[in-house]
Amino acid sequence: MPLRFVGIEPDTGTANSPTVWVDDKNGRIVLQGYTASAELLAEALDAGHGPGHENSVPDHESVIYFPASMVPILRKACDDAERSGLH
């Protein structure tokens, strides 16, 4: 999977930084983010998953979060993935 680096959380040091990549082969956005606390996970479950979806997080999925400072990086990754035409 040929990943292309898009950006890293600008307010962190040199380690353990949320990061965003785009997979140019299939248009996926690949994310490294902060793991949600039990409290944040409970809030996400309280907010629900929308009509017709189970209100749970399966073992093969994770709830992660990003600081607002990463919005431009996430937006760029979304735009890049959409432009790939592979979605």
Side-chain angles (χ1 to χ4, degrees):
M1 166 167 45
L3 296 182
R4 181 174 41 82
F5 171 80
V6 176
I8 196 162
E9 205 273 303
D11 295 330
T12 60
T14 59
N16 304 318
S17 300
T19 306
V20 180
W21 303 267
V22 170
D23 182 337
D24 288 324
K25 183 177 179 182
N26 61 28
R28 290 186 291 197
I29 297 170
V30 180
L31 306 169
Q32 172 186 329
Y34 295 113
T35 301
S37 65
E39 293 80 14
L40 183 56
L41 177 57
E43 288 180 39
L45 293 173
D46 285 346
H49 284 75
H53 291 273
E54 290 185 22
N55 193 30
S56 64
V57 179
D59 289 341
H60 66 278
E61 296 181 10
S62 299
V63 174
I64 61 174
Y65 70 93
F66 294 91
S69 61
M70 289 190 71
V71 167
I73 295 166
L74 294 166
R75 187 175 293 121
K76 180 179 181 338
C78 291
D79 291 345
D80 288 357
E82 188 174 50
R83 274 194 292 277
S84 75
L86 298 171
H87 47 87

